[in-house]
Amino acid sequence: MAEPYAESPLATYTEVLSRHSVPGRIDIAERPFVAQVDVRVDPKSPAAERIGTALGAMLPNQPGEVAVAGELSVLWLGPDEWLILGPEGSQETIQDTVNAALDGDHAAVVDVSANRTILSITGPKTRELLNKGCALDLHPRSFAVDRCAQTMLARAGVILVCRDTQLPSYWVIVRSSFARYVADWLADAAVEYGSGSG
Amino acid sequence: MMLIPCPWCGPRNEIEFHYGGQADVHYPSDPRSTSDEDWAHFLFFRDNPKGVFTERWSHAAGCRRWFTVHRDTVTNEIHPDDSASAARTVTR
Ligand SMILES: [Zn+2]
């Protein structure tokens, strides 16, 4: 019988991304296989509160807010929708935790780990690079650590997460089918930061 | 390019949104007794003002919520809908 295996959407891009990274200026790499669970529930319901208690962080109720609980991050995607990120392989545990907290109440809990992959972009040129294809104000003043936004990067729908404003470091969470396009776009946009230019 | 104020995410580029046409077009309350002419008006007839138009938008590339704004069709100036209930109701 065939052994099931996982291959990330950017499995063949490791070399391309590292070749277009520029030490000390910009680093682009995939963070594959991060567990992702989408939760939709009435934000004012007791169930939402129980989920927060079970996860260790209340489901954030401010647009673009990210709540962190240990190894989990909970991203606000909408007033009744959240994306829970966890370590590789933790999707079933996350779902079990949320479902147990629901205790039969109405909600949607879906493993969407294969829906998107993550591009991690780090270095002093990161904001400049992202703003070539994204109109959001990424200055820490308006997009600080643990803020997220669903928006468009080079016309592709993405979720942006600010991980660190000092380095700085951002996550671009992108649909698997758009991952290679966005990776190509990022690699091209980073060319000018290479040695001897920019 | 218009900057459209999503009641949840704040001002975003027009390309992130889906247009939903005139706001406050209500489904007939008694469909069984609605005349063909009234159906036609419900389905196909819309205001086309030169000036302020109340319309629906969906933040398709963002939070995916529908909301209402008042847009001046001459200047494209957009003003959020002030009725807080309309702006921040959790709808699917
Ligand atoms: Zn929005």
Side-chain angles (χ1 to χ4, degrees):
Chain A
M1 203 175 87
E3 280 290 312
Y5 67 99
E7 185 176 86
S8 77
L10 296 173
T12 59
Y13 267 59
T14 315
E15 194 271 325
V16 173
L17 293 177
S18 74
R19 182 152 43 86
H20 285 85
S21 296
V22 184
R25 309 195 84 183
I26 194 105
D27 182 76
I28 311 170
E30 187 190 16
R31 290 282 307 268
F33 306 131
V34 169
Q36 301 168 56
V37 176
D38 190 279
V39 175
R40 296 199 69 177
V41 64
D42 180 347
K44 294 196 173 76
S45 65
E49 209 168 309
R50 290 200 303 272
I51 293 171
T53 307
L55 291 173
M58 285 300 142
L59 299 172
N61 60 10
Q62 291 304 307
E65 194 182 342
V66 178
V68 178
E71 291 186 300
L72 303 180
S73 297
V74 186
L75 280 57
W76 183 99
L77 295 189
D80 64 358
E81 183 175 13
W82 295 268
L83 185 67
I84 305 173
L85 304 181
E88 179 175 350
S90 67
Q91 47 266 50
E92 279 185 29
T93 314
I94 296 171
Q95 285 181 100
D96 290 347
T97 304
V98 175
N99 282 323
L102 277 174
D103 196 21
D105 280 358
H106 178 70
V109 182
V110 184
D111 175 12
V112 292
S113 305
N115 185 21
R116 301 184 180 94
T117 190
I118 298 178
L119 279 151
S120 171
I121 308 171
T122 302
K125 292 292 183 186
T126 302
R127 275 194 284 273
E128 198 179 300
L129 175 83
L130 291 173
N131 273 143
K132 290 184 190 185
C134 171
L136 283 191
D137 180 3
L138 298 179
H139 191 280
R141 186 175 52 220
S142 60
F143 197 66
V145 175
D146 289 333
R147 301 285 305 168
C148 68
Q150 292 185 92
T151 185
M152 292 175 111
L153 176 67
R155 295 185 209 86
V158 297
I159 305 170
L160 283 184
V161 183
C162 178
R163 304 278 297 167
D164 189 319
T165 50
Q166 296 303 315
L167 288 169
S169 179
Y170 294 82
W171 275 3
V172 175
I173 312 181
V174 60
R175 292 215 160 80
S176 297
S177 51
F178 281 85
R180 287 192 293 174
Y181 161 71
V182 168
D184 281 334
W185 184 87
L186 288 168
D188 180 61
V191 165
E192 68 165 304
Y193 307 126
S195 56
S197 60
Chain B
M1 180 69 78
M2 289 190 289
L3 209 53
I4 299 175
C6 170
W8 297 97
C9 309
R12 295 289 186 93
N13 263 344
E14 176 189 349
I15 53 164
E16 295 194 6
F17 296 86
H18 228 64
Y19 185 57
Q22 183 173 356
D24 302 319
V25 178
H26 297 292
Y27 192 80
S29 53
D30 186 6
R32 284 168 198 276
S33 63
T34 302
S35 69
D36 286 355
E37 194 180 333
D38 286 346
W39 267 116
H41 273 89
F42 164 68
L43 289 172
F44 305 116
F45 284 61
R46 297 292 180 265
D47 296 338
N48 185 22
K50 180 178 182 181
V52 177
F53 190 37
T54 303
E55 58 193 16
R56 299 285 282 166
W57 287 86
S58 160
H59 192 188
C63 62
R64 300 189 286 126
R65 297 295 124 165
W66 283 97
F67 58 95
T68 300
V69 297
H70 309 287
R71 180 177 62 93
D72 191 310
T73 59
V74 179
T75 61
N76 268 346
E77 253 183 291
I78 292 181
H79 301 285
D81 192 59
D82 284 333
S83 51
S85 57
R88 279 239 168 167
T89 310
V90 176
T91 53
R92 283 158 217 274

